[in-house]
Amino acid sequence: MLALRLHDKEDLRLEDVDLPRLEGLGAILRVRATGICATDVKAYTTGARTRLPITLGHEFAGEIVEASDEYREYIGRRVVVNPNIFCGRCEYCLRGEHVLCPNRYAIGIDVDGSFAEYVRIPDQAFRVGGVLEIPGNLSYEEASLIEPLSACFRGQRKLGIGPGDIVAIIGAGPIGLMHLKLAKAFGAAKVIMNEIDDRRLEIAGKLGADYLINPAKEDLEKRVHEITGGRGADAVIVAVGVGAAQRDALRIVARGGRVNFFAGLPAGKEEIPINTNIIHYKQITVLGTSMQTPFEFRRALDLVAAGVVDLKPLITHVFGLNEGLEAFSTALRGEGLKIVIKP
Ligand SMILES: [Zn+2]
Ligand SMILES: [Zn+2]
């Protein structure tokens, strides 16, 4: 079968590989749609993976074509899979905070992923509720975006976004735009989008943002204070991996507000000077989130299936797997929003 494999830093190859084998319990999924994520791009530029070569891709949906006896009833079903495989038995899993599981590994990150015609779904994915049937009204393309959406869902739940909140989001890439849609679904009164790329800012406007700020052209702090009557935003989500954006978040959050450093900073750039007195005197909560628990994955799917969050406008490019390298270079150039491969 065809697979898009990373061999080393900046060495991605479309090649013919053996079909994945069942190897005990679990299933084989025929991949029908798989999204390219910033994490895949980061893997390409750094070559940082626990093993190489590896088939990338962790945002995917497809149909189960083969399964061990235990999961036989899944054969023929359309499913979406949480790529994070949790042990289900450790202290964190028992607490419902699976994302902290020290035994976690991920499809497309630690084992072969979904930029291929077929991918192996381990037994443990089923055991922790990570394999969900796709409701009939959702396409495979939409379902493939449940993974990033559920990570955003977790981020907002932890921030406690609620009715009437003024939410500022820094970064209007696919993740920032998912946060915009979710914040509206969570009842935010106003969503302020901040983005240095005017094209992305314009899309944010079309998708329902109440205020658009280009911090490269405008005084961000001044504008947010105008919009909020001098108070600042109740919650700020940093959806770009840029240290300066994290600093900006502290400046534009209201007293007693909440900040989520949702995007990680690139390796070697993690340490930035911040004014901790802002945290102290404004008495704000700064937190970080990544990934999603099985519960959050399920909820995100339910929200999309119910029509509360429409992901379709985020899909700007669809490629075949044979065009995988072109799809990837489109992502590298930062063109479009969500790029989906249909193997
Ligand atoms: Zn991802
Ligand atoms: Zn665990």
Side-chain angles (χ1 to χ4, degrees), residues 144-258:
S144 73
L145 302 192
I146 296 301
E147 196 277 332
L149 183 74
S150 58
C152 298
F153 178 87
R154 172 179 180 76
Q156 299 210 6
R157 229 165 53 96
K158 288 285 172 185
L159 268 182
I161 305 282
D165 272 342
I166 300 178
V167 179
I169 297 165
I170 305 180
I175 291 292
L177 295 170
M178 285 183 189
H179 274 300
L180 159 64
K181 299 211 145 212
L182 275 177
K184 288 281 180 180
F186 276 64
K190 293 176 182 172
V191 179
I192 307 167
M193 293 299 292
N194 309 281
E195 166 65 58
I196 54 172
D197 180 337
D198 281 325
R199 288 168 310 171
R200 289 191 161 184
L201 209 53
E202 195 187 322
I203 295 165
K206 285 191 185 132
L207 294 181
D210 301 287
Y211 299 94
L212 306 173
I213 303 175
N214 182 335
K217 296 179 181 171
E218 300 166 86
D219 182 334
L220 175 67
E221 202 173 350
K222 194 165 151 248
R223 282 273 282 132
V224 171
H225 281 250
E226 279 166 13
I227 294 164
T228 58
R231 206 159 57 81
D234 297 301
V236 183
I237 299 164
V238 184
V240 285
V242 179
Q246 295 185 342
R247 290 222 297 269
D248 284 343
L250 301 182
R251 293 197 294 125
I252 64 173
V253 71
R255 293 174 187 203
R258 297 95 67 196

Side-chain angles (χ1 to χ4, degrees), residues 35-40 58-59 83 109 147-148 175 338:
I36 300 179
C37 171
T39 305
D40 298 307
H58 58 272
E59 303 175 356
I109 290 170
E147 196 277 332
I175 291 292
K338 209 65 202 175

Side-chain angles (χ1 to χ4, degrees), residues 35 95 108 141 183 210 226 229 239 242 247 252 260 266-267 270 278 336 341:
R95 221 199 273 174
E141 291 93 318
D210 301 287
E226 279 166 13
V242 179
R247 290 222 297 269
I252 64 173
N260 188 346
E270 308 98 323
I278 298 178
I341 295 173

Side-chain angles (χ1 to χ4, degrees), residues 34-233:
T34 175
I36 300 179
C37 171
T39 305
D40 298 307
V41 173
K42 207 195 274 181
Y44 173 84
T45 52
T46 62
R49 274 291 176 270
T50 47
R51 55 161 258 242
L52 290 169
I54 187 169
T55 304
L56 296 178
H58 58 272
E59 303 175 356
F60 61 96
E63 65 178 297
I64 300 287
V65 290
E66 201 186 328
S68 59
D69 278 347
E70 213 167 348
Y71 307 114
R72 196 142 293 269
E73 82 264 23
Y74 279 88
I75 294 175
R77 286 195 195 163
R78 301 162 77 239
V79 299
V80 60
V81 180
N82 186 339
N84 293 295
I85 314 295
F86 310 107
C87 81
R89 288 188 295 266
C90 72
E91 170 85 22
Y92 298 107
C93 285
L94 294 177
R95 221 199 273 174
E97 288 288 283
H98 298 68
V99 291
L100 305 174
C101 174
N103 309 312
R104 180 193 70 89
Y105 68 96
I107 297 172
I109 290 170
D110 305 297
V111 296
D112 283 338
S114 56
F115 294 164
E117 289 170 78
Y118 297 88
V119 64
R120 196 174 88 81
I121 310 300
D123 175 41
Q124 192 59 19
F126 289 91
R127 288 187 189 274
V128 293
V131 183
L132 305 179
E133 193 158 2
I134 303 168
N137 61 328
L138 292 190
S139 66
Y140 283 122
E141 291 93 318
E142 289 167 87
S144 73
L145 302 192
I146 296 301
E147 196 277 332
L149 183 74
S150 58
C152 298
F153 178 87
R154 172 179 180 76
Q156 299 210 6
R157 229 165 53 96
K158 288 285 172 185
L159 268 182
I161 305 282
D165 272 342
I166 300 178
V167 179
I169 297 165
I170 305 180
I175 291 292
L177 295 170
M178 285 183 189
H179 274 300
L180 159 64
K181 299 211 145 212
L182 275 177
K184 288 281 180 180
F186 276 64
K190 293 176 182 172
V191 179
I192 307 167
M193 293 299 292
N194 309 281
E195 166 65 58
I196 54 172
D197 180 337
D198 281 325
R199 288 168 310 171
R200 289 191 161 184
L201 209 53
E202 195 187 322
I203 295 165
K206 285 191 185 132
L207 294 181
D210 301 287
Y211 299 94
L212 306 173
I213 303 175
N214 182 335
K217 296 179 181 171
E218 300 166 86
D219 182 334
L220 175 67
E221 202 173 350
K222 194 165 151 248
R223 282 273 282 132
V224 171
H225 281 250
E226 279 166 13
I227 294 164
T228 58
R231 206 159 57 81

